[in-house]
Amino acid sequence: MHDDGFRPRRSVLYMPGANARALEKARTLDADGLILDLEDAVAPDAKSMAREQVVAAVAAGGYGHREVIVRINGLDTAWGNDDLEAAARVRPDAILVPKVSEPEQIRTVGRRLGELDPGGRVAIWAMMETPIGILDLGAIAAAKKDEPRFRAFVMGTNDLAKETGASLDQGRAAMTAWLSFAVLAASAHGLTIIDGVYNDFRDNEGFVAECAQGRLLGMHGKTLIHPGQIAEANRAFAPSAEEVVRARRIVAAFEAPENAGKGVVTLDGRMVELLHARVAARTLAVADAIAKRDGGEGCVSTDT
């Protein structure tokens, strides 16, 4: 099983599986991840055709650094099992399971992937988009203990709004508690968590504000519906230059010989604890992964 490490997932773009031109264009976009969608974006009479196109696209490769995820239809639908089998055969980076409402869904997909992909190449991501799924977030996240392929939550805010009547307006005030609880559950079990989409791709100001909110809540990135949202998501979910400089100084302070073994040091007149050094090290690892993805030299340096 490969280790995700600090793989950037700032921008994860949905691409409709029935649109061959979109699948081709995705190879040129600066997104960290691509969700090739067989579910919501595909009409019932186009499901088989979309599956064939997505399988062919994944098999052909050419997506470079972009993480490739296939969103299948639910296993309780007429298409789900065929989607899972066909997708596993061409080894995308992950299978995105829709409408996850109980831990057994993760284990079921894991058992099936164990048969189809015994080498453990394909990870499992889960769409969190049902009220019962939100109520059972902790148990679903804990399924990672039984199924190490399980790597990420993807928040389905549109479906949550539809199912509950909650509004997506006013900074998503109606569902902020749900999003925060999802972050807690994901963090407790070492899952990546990716925020839901922003629907008005022409409203850049609103999109930037929602990205900032997502990062404030602890999200690792955002799902997108339009290529025009990629650059802002990449910017929003990357450590800023100031954060990187500060992180370097914190790591350097704890690595200084005179501070060896200390749990607390003084930096710029403030007390800094060992837990801050761990956060700083993660910040540098994320920044380094982004720099390497973008062809840079990386930035994990403790020079001040």
Side-chain angles (χ1 to χ4, degrees):
M1 184 71 65
H2 67 278
D3 183 7
D4 283 352
F6 295 98
R7 186 167 190 169
R9 288 170 177 146
R10 302 163 296 170
S11 54
V12 182
L13 178 66
Y14 286 102
M15 303 299 285
N19 188 331
R21 289 182 62 187
L23 297 178
E24 180 61 31
K25 181 179 176 61
R27 293 183 170 92
T28 69
L29 300 174
D30 195 32
D32 288 335
L34 303 164
I35 297 174
L36 311 186
D37 192 14
L38 299 176
E39 197 215 13
D40 283 350
V42 180
D45 61 358
K47 296 286 189 183
S48 296
M49 178 270 288
R51 183 190 305 126
E52 292 175 5
Q53 287 193 164
V54 165
V55 166
V58 176
Y63 288 99
H65 65 75
R66 301 160 192 86
E67 197 166 11
V68 176
I69 304 98
V70 176
R71 179 161 72 168
I72 64 172
N73 289 278
L75 297 186
D76 59 348
T77 69
W79 312 284
N81 283 292
D82 288 342
D83 289 348
L84 180 59
E85 184 170 342
R89 191 166 59 244
V90 292
R91 307 292 192 268
D93 291 294
I95 299 290
L96 177 55
V97 185
K99 298 177 176 59
V100 174
S101 298
E102 59 180 6
E104 187 57 29
Q105 288 171 269
I106 300 298
R107 291 190 280 265
T108 297
V109 173
R111 286 193 295 268
R112 191 75 182 101
L113 281 176
E115 301 166 0
L116 298 167
D117 173 43
R121 170 70 175 81
V122 184
I124 299 171
W125 290 19
M127 288 293 308
M128 303 310 301
E129 53 188 342
T130 69
I132 195 167
I134 296 300
L135 288 172
D136 214 13
L137 273 163
I140 293 169
K144 185 177 180 183
K145 296 176 183 176
D146 305 318
E147 185 43 72
R149 292 177 187 264
F150 187 23
R151 304 291 176 77
F153 277 162
V154 179
M155 302 310 298
T157 45
N158 280 335
D159 275 88
L160 284 170
K162 179 184 71 175
E163 293 294 325
T164 63
S167 174
L168 291 170
D169 297 333
Q170 300 180 31
R172 302 186 294 183
M175 61 177 66
T176 302
W178 310 341
L179 297 174
S180 293
F181 187 48
V183 170
L184 279 174
S187 300
H189 296 282
L191 299 175
T192 294
I193 181 165
I194 303 170
D195 202 358
V197 300
Y198 188 78
N199 295 313
D200 187 353
F201 62 85
R202 295 159 297 191
D203 178 13
N204 189 63
E205 183 178 351
F207 177 71
V208 169
E210 193 164 285
C211 285
Q213 182 203 37
R215 188 172 180 201
L216 185 67
L217 291 173
M219 301 287 180
H220 298 119
K222 193 159 184 66
T223 45
L224 314 175
I225 60 169
H226 193 276
Q229 298 174 318
I230 294 172
E232 292 291 0
N234 284 347
R235 186 176 301 112
F237 289 95
S240 68
E242 293 78 10
E243 288 173 315
V244 170
V245 169
R246 175 69 178 171
R248 284 176 176 160
R249 298 195 67 219
I250 291 173
V251 171
F254 276 92
E255 290 181 348
E258 63 270 22
N259 293 326
K262 289 185 179 180
V264 180
V265 301
T266 301
L267 182 65
D268 299 330
R270 298 178 63 182
M271 303 300 289
V272 180
E273 299 180 39
L274 190 58
L275 68 89
H276 297 120
R278 296 188 181 116
V279 172
R282 180 180 174 83
T283 296
L284 293 180
V286 170
D288 190 55
I290 291 168
K292 288 178 179 176
R293 199 225 76 164
D294 293 340
E297 294 297 321
C299 64
V300 182
S301 167
T302 57
D303 295 341
T304 56

